[in-house]
Amino acid sequence: MFRNYLTIALRNLLKQRFYTFINIFGLAIGIASCLVIVLFVAYELGYDKYHDKASRIYRVNGEIKFGVNHYRLAVASAPFGEALATDFPEIETYVRFRDQGSFLVKAKETDTNIKEDDVVYADSTYFKVFSTPIIEGDPNTALNNHNSVAISQSIARKYFPSGNPIGQTLILDNKELCKVTAVYRDMPDNGHFKFDILISMTGWAESRETNFLSNNFNTYVLLRPGSSADGLQAKFPQFVAKHFGPQLVSVLGSDFTLEKFKASGNILEYTLMPLTDIHLHSDRTAELAPNGDITYVYLFTAVALFILIIACINFMNLSTARSANRAKEVGVRKVMGSMRAHLVRQFLTESILVCIGGFSIAVALAYLALPLFNDLSQKSLSIPFDRPIFYILLFAGALVVGFLSGIYPSMFLSAFKPVDVLKGKMAAGMKSGLIRSSLVVFQFTISILLVIATLTVQRQLNYIQEKKIGFQKDQVIIIKDAYALGDRIKSFMDEGRKLNYITSATLSGFLPVTGSNRSDNTYWPEGKQPTQENLVGMQTWRVDHDYLKTFGMTVLQGRFFSEEFPSDSGAIVINQSAAQKFDLGSDPLGKRIATFGETNHDGTPDPNSLKTFEVIGVVEDFHFESLKQNITPLAFFLQRSTGLIAFRFDAKDTKQVISDLEHVWKNIASDQPFQYSFLDEDFGHMYSGEQRLGRTFVIFAALAIVIACLGLFALTSFTAEQRTKEIGIRKVLGASVGSIVVLLSTEFGKLIIIAFVIAAPAAWFGVQKWLEGYTYKVEIGVSVYVLAGLVSLTIAWLTMSFQSIRAASASPAKALKSE
């Protein structure tokens, strides 16, 4: 019997080649899209799970709020980990990271430096906590000694291609000689950190401080088997009171208590975050690397399901649309004694065959699309062809999708009454018009939602690019790793200034884009005692005299630093937000703010040693972080910072600018790498996630509309078949082709309008939730929703018009010849 089902199914599918192609192609597009998204979601959810002890590893997070300052931190203080391990037996061990950014690396003094970004200081316990396989060396002693490093296989091949790296030396930043003590396998991409060089923490002096008030170390703890993270975290308030309380009293005075501190609405809390939650659930200050977002995982999962459902609906509508061609077959089969169950199995066999074909093509399409998607998402996804479970799941998916998408057409077609169909009537055994119309409404509701989402993301990105950000980001080139020049920095800048298109230059590691240096400290108005009410956390940037000119910032009051005033070394220039937080009044010029000067032996601030600075200027607020964040207090200090050199230029040929500056660099320091970027590109990189999201929405919105239009094409075809004689009679009575096209299209146009009415409120809610993540955001007006509706309606009308014009242009004699 199954062979008979298969033979008839193949015969029918080959007989209707055009509709079979549309069925399979529509399903293939939907399934390929779903497969790519499923690979992406599985990859995102699999972060850090390769560690053997992942379920027992937790990171220490901090949340500190005092007065107007609020910090959510991925770091803790230097002694925090050791104190935890000492106080709580639940902790087996701990490891800390201290991220100091990139390093210049070479194996010999005569070699040219290479910039390495993935370098970090780490405790000797690293290999006891994380599962990073050692290829050479002893994991128990690799990071025990001062200036010892463990390196990845890639680094070993790069710097020691022909020999054993163990015992060899790497030179970091032209000064630090480090002995290679271990080589480990390259860390996987799906981890929330990926380091190529681990430097022993014993060489970092700050790691030995006992100051609990300075948070700079990413700290991870490994719990003993059977220990409860929640139970341990419940003991943290007492831990904080024991270790933080005395140090806070020494700084803020004997009247300070944590109880009063928290009663005033302030926060000093530390929590444990599971290792496997970090990538998708953490967006804190001082993350080791940019993380993902669980919201996007949910979003893409929903998109995958919706596209798959749209593809299945498309198949249903195409199947029922061709019902007229199968009606007499059903009637004859029933007259000859065929049971309805047999007919259902016959039609389900056809459905499953189409799905198997669709799944097969979908795998090929997904394979071709993955490189493009990887480039878009910055991932390294691949189809697991080497895993048998993949083929099992693929075949099971084809069966499930084939059954779910085929059960409705099977029930619909098998319900025809033989008496009616053999008389030429098309009255179905079940009222299905409402169901089909509802399915089309659902398809276009999802399509309109995706179009609105696409337009919203693009509007926000345009807003970011066009918003006044407080500095001029165009035509500024950033020369990186200026410290590598040593005492030749001034010579390079002087030679660069001689180029006729260079208008200004500045030396500073602090830029108004993420990824550059950041430093903060607490200050208060001079003449007052530091208290939790008047302390202000403030960014402290070290700059030179030409910083403001180079970046095009605006002075609102007073002046910026000048070589004409030697006393500026004891002055500061603050932004508007700082002036407001310090409550300096309408004229802050000449007023002074204070901070702690020297530190005690344990690294805590010495309350008896203060530094004060005179405010000589106020600059207009500018955005130095993402527009998702508020502008916070910031102060400029006239101090040396040798990280980066910025040149403002007035030239259209940027290639010439790069070439000339590289020539100057090589003449001065031929042994150092020349690396650069443009400030506007660095600014754009702050929103690379949003840009990728926007491009992804464009792709999936287009796919959803294409598949939905195939479904609409099916419904138009079905209606045209049902109303063939009606159209013939109308034409005989004088109806024009245009009026018939309008008649057929109006019904479907109503469905699109209904879909828009449903989609618009849902989209509005989703748009508002997404934009809540931005402090500065575009206003999404009615025009976006209207545009999305018009785009969908226009595409749908073009789809309908083809079949409608074809039906309206048919000869009425052909339609009425049987009457």
Side-chain angles (χ1 to χ4, degrees):
M1 184 63 75
F2 176 74
R3 182 179 179 181
N4 180 57
Y5 290 152
L6 192 62
T7 302
I8 295 173
L10 288 171
R11 186 183 300 160
N12 282 319
L13 292 175
L14 292 174
K15 183 179 179 181
Q16 301 290 337
R17 287 184 176 87
F18 178 69
Y19 284 95
T20 300
F21 170 77
I22 292 179
N23 260 329
I24 293 177
F25 185 68
L27 275 173
I29 293 176
I31 294 165
S33 303
C34 189
L35 178 59
V36 169
I37 293 176
V38 166
L39 289 172
F40 169 77
V41 170
Y43 185 86
E44 290 290 287
L45 294 176
Y47 261 69
D48 293 308
K49 291 184 178 178
Y50 65 88
H51 294 290
D52 295 336
K53 304 170 185 175
S55 62
R56 295 194 283 131
I57 301 173
Y58 294 80
R59 187 184 71 189
V60 177
N61 288 340
E63 183 173 7
I64 302 171
K65 180 181 182 296
F66 59 94
V68 297
N69 309 285
H70 194 176
Y71 306 99
R72 296 174 66 252
L73 305 172
V75 287
S77 57
F80 201 101
E82 183 178 359
L84 281 178
T86 302
D87 288 6
F88 302 114
E90 297 96 324
I91 295 176
E92 183 175 318
T93 189
Y94 71 95
V95 63
R96 299 168 300 169
F97 296 119
R98 183 66 165 94
D99 187 6
Q100 283 297 100
S102 61
F103 283 77
L104 296 176
V105 181
K106 57 185 178 182
K108 299 177 182 176
E109 287 286 356
T110 56
D111 291 348
T112 299
N113 274 314
I114 299 175
K115 184 176 181 178
E116 299 292 348
D117 294 317
D118 301 320
V119 184
V120 74
Y121 286 89
D123 280 319
S124 60
T125 51
Y126 171 83
F127 295 103
K128 295 179 181 178
V129 177
F130 296 105
S131 303
T132 303
I134 287 284
I135 298 172
E136 296 180 78
D138 184 354
N140 296 316
T141 60
L143 298 175
N144 282 356
N145 298 322
H146 177 66
N147 282 0
S148 60
V149 295
I151 62 176
S152 67
Q153 273 183 298
S154 298
I155 293 295
R157 295 190 192 105
K158 182 188 292 189
Y159 293 95
F160 310 102
S162 58
N164 184 354
I166 300 298
Q168 301 292 330
T169 299
L170 283 179
I171 304 173
L172 307 185
D173 284 345
N174 297 316
K175 57 185 179 182
E176 194 169 349
L177 300 176
C178 294
K179 181 180 178 182
V180 177
T181 54
V183 178
Y184 55 83
R185 190 175 301 161
D186 288 358
M187 297 182 188
D189 291 329
N190 61 335
H192 80 281
F193 60 77
K194 184 180 181 182
F195 298 120
D196 284 325
I197 300 178
L198 301 174
I199 309 174
S200 173
M201 187 73 80
T202 58
W204 189 253
E206 184 191 7
S207 68
R208 298 186 291 275
E209 289 184 357
T210 57
N211 177 15
F212 279 87
L213 305 183
S214 178
N215 297 280
N216 291 310
F217 292 81
N218 301 89
T219 304
Y220 297 76
V221 296
L222 174 66
L223 301 190
R224 297 186 187 279
S227 297
S228 167
D230 291 337
L232 174 61
Q233 186 174 294
K235 303 174 185 178
F236 277 12
Q238 292 80 11
F239 175 85
V240 169
K242 174 183 175 182
H243 294 283
F244 286 74
Q247 294 188 0
L248 286 168
V249 169
S250 70
V251 173
L252 298 176
S254 58
D255 292 338
F256 175 86
T257 65
L258 280 174
E259 291 74 15
K260 292 180 181 178
F261 180 78
K262 294 180 180 179
S264 300
N266 299 306
I267 300 172
L268 179 58
E269 293 180 353
Y270 288 88
T271 56
L272 295 176
M273 171 171 272
L275 176 69
T276 52
D277 284 355
I278 292 174
H279 175 65
L280 293 176
H281 298 273
S282 183
D283 182 20
R284 293 171 172 265
T285 300
E287 296 281 357
L288 288 173
N291 286 324
D293 191 335
I294 190 63
T295 302
Y296 292 156
V297 171
Y298 292 146
L299 188 61
F300 284 131
T301 301
V303 169
L305 290 174
F306 285 143
I307 288 181
L308 182 60
I309 292 171
I310 289 174
C312 292
I313 290 173
N314 183 31
F315 173 79
M316 296 177 194
N317 283 341
L318 279 169
S319 298
T320 55
R322 302 304 299 164
S323 59
N325 296 342
R326 307 296 298 273
K328 289 185 179 179
E329 174 193 341
V330 171
V332 170
R333 282 175 174 273
K334 284 193 171 183
V335 169
M336 298 297 292
S338 180
M339 303 293 291
R340 185 179 182 184
H342 296 160
L343 293 172
V344 169
R345 285 196 287 270
Q346 172 66 57
F347 294 132
L348 278 177
T349 301
E350 292 181 21
S351 172
I352 291 172
L353 280 177
V354 168
C355 280
I356 291 175
F359 267 77
S360 302
I361 296 174
V363 172
L365 291 176
Y367 179 78
L368 295 174
L370 265 183
L372 297 175
F373 187 81
N374 283 338
D375 183 61
L376 178 65
S377 63
Q378 300 296 299
K379 303 294 180 184
S380 53
L381 309 180
S382 61
I383 299 176
F385 289 117
D386 57 336
R387 300 177 63 181
I389 188 66
F390 170 72
Y391 300 97
I392 295 172
L393 292 175
L394 201 66
F395 183 71
L399 294 179
V400 171
V401 172
F403 177 81
L404 293 177
S405 60
I407 189 65
Y408 163 61
S410 300
M411 300 300 293
F412 172 72
L413 293 171
S414 64
F416 288 155
K417 297 177 181 179
V419 176
D420 291 335
V421 296
L422 293 176
K423 285 183 178 181
K425 298 180 182 179
M426 278 297 298
M430 57 189 295
K431 302 297 181 181
S432 56
L434 179 61
I435 296 176
R436 282 193 304 276
S437 297
S438 300
L439 293 177
V440 171
V441 168
F442 178 81
Q443 285 180 311
F444 275 91
T445 297
I446 301 305
S447 300
I448 293 170
L449 279 170
L450 289 174
V451 171
I452 292 173
T454 301
L455 293 174
T456 298
V457 174
Q458 294 301 326
R459 289 283 181 92
Q460 178 64 12
L461 288 174
N462 292 338
Y463 172 81
I464 290 170
Q465 293 299 323
E466 297 170 3
K467 185 184 184 302
K468 183 180 178 182
I469 54 177
F471 64 93
Q472 298 173 13
K473 63 181 184 296
D474 298 322
Q475 293 196 301
V476 176
I477 186 171
I478 309 298
I479 309 302
K480 301 186 176 181
D481 305 316
Y483 62 85
L485 296 175
D487 57 7
R488 296 167 289 179
I489 290 178
K490 186 177 185 304
S491 298
F492 173 72
M493 294 183 68
D494 290 341
E495 290 299 315
R497 288 189 180 100
K498 291 179 182 179
L499 299 172
N500 57 12
Y501 49 76
I502 297 296
T503 59
S504 65
T506 185
L507 172 67
S508 177
F510 297 84
L511 299 183
V513 290
T514 56
S516 62
N517 290 354
R518 292 293 181 266
S519 177
D520 62 80
N521 204 345
T522 52
Y523 296 80
W524 61 91
E526 185 188 32
K528 297 182 179 180
Q529 288 297 317
T531 65
Q532 60 196 43
E533 288 79 18
N534 61 26
L535 285 176
V536 175
M538 185 166 62
Q539 282 288 311
T540 55
W541 289 16
R542 302 188 302 276
V543 301
D544 63 13
H545 300 92
D546 294 322
Y547 188 92
L548 198 79
K549 178 182 177 182
T550 303
F551 291 110
M553 297 169 182
T554 303
V555 176
L556 299 178
Q557 292 178 279
R559 61 178 178 83
F560 201 67
F561 304 119
S562 172
E563 294 180 352
E564 298 177 3
F565 296 89
S567 61
D568 280 357
S569 59
I572 62 168
V573 177
I574 60 177
N575 66 354
Q576 289 173 280
S577 295
Q580 293 168 3
K581 291 293 189 295
F582 284 116
D583 194 21
L584 298 180
S586 60
D587 185 14
L589 302 180
K591 295 180 180 178
R592 305 183 71 87
I593 61 173
T595 188
F596 297 110
E598 302 299 326
T599 58
N600 298 315
H601 66 279
D602 60 358
T604 58
D606 182 357
N608 298 316
S609 174
L610 302 180
K611 289 182 180 179
T612 64
F613 301 89
E614 179 185 355
V615 177
I616 62 169
V618 178
V619 299
E620 183 181 30
D621 275 346
F622 61 92
H623 292 276
F624 54 90
E625 301 291 352
S626 164
L627 293 185
K628 292 182 177 180
Q629 300 174 12
N630 283 312
I631 298 175
T632 57
L634 180 145
F636 295 110
F637 293 80
L638 186 60
Q639 297 175 7
R640 188 173 175 81
S641 171
T642 59
L644 305 163
I645 298 172
F647 289 98
R648 176 167 291 281
F649 61 89
D650 185 10
K652 294 182 179 179
D653 188 357
T654 55
K655 291 183 179 178
Q656 186 63 47
V657 175
I658 296 168
S659 176
D660 290 346
L661 287 173
E662 183 175 13
H663 180 71
V664 173
W665 179 282
K666 291 301 182 183
N667 284 341
I668 294 175
S670 59
D671 59 332
Q672 304 299 336
F674 176 78
Q675 294 190 317
Y676 67 91
S677 65
F678 290 97
L679 185 62
D680 57 345
E681 293 178 354
D682 292 339
F683 180 81
H685 291 158
M686 294 165 63
Y687 306 97
S688 57
E690 287 81 355
Q691 292 168 355
R692 290 196 296 269
L693 179 66
R695 292 193 293 269
T696 303
F697 267 132
V698 168
I699 294 170
F700 288 120
L703 289 175
I705 289 177
V706 167
I707 299 172
C709 285
L710 286 174
L712 189 61
F713 179 87
L715 190 57
T716 310
S717 173
F718 173 80
T719 303
E721 287 184 5
Q722 289 284 68
R723 303 175 70 173
T724 300
K725 290 188 175 68
E726 176 192 342
I727 293 170
I729 293 172
R730 286 180 179 274
K731 291 195 71 175
V732 168
L733 294 176
S736 65
V737 172
S739 64
I740 293 174
V741 169
V742 171
L743 175 70
L744 293 175
S745 301
T746 300
E747 178 182 349
F748 307 128
K750 292 178 181 178
L751 298 179
I752 309 303
I753 293 172
I754 293 172
F756 173 76
V757 171
I758 296 172
W764 179 88
F765 177 78
V767 163
Q768 297 306 311
K769 291 293 290 183
W770 183 70
L771 288 176
E772 282 179 2
Y774 292 87
T775 303
Y776 305 92
K777 53 200 171 191
V778 68
E779 290 293 331
I780 302 297
V782 178
S783 60
V784 168
Y785 300 90
V786 173
L787 179 60
L790 289 176
V791 167
S792 302
L793 185 60
T794 300
I795 295 174
W797 186 86
L798 292 173
T799 303
M800 295 182 292
S801 64
F802 170 78
Q803 194 69 15
S804 299
I805 292 172
R806 182 182 177 187
S809 302
S811 171
K814 186 177 179 180
L816 300 174
K817 65 182 181 180
S818 62
E819 296 299 319

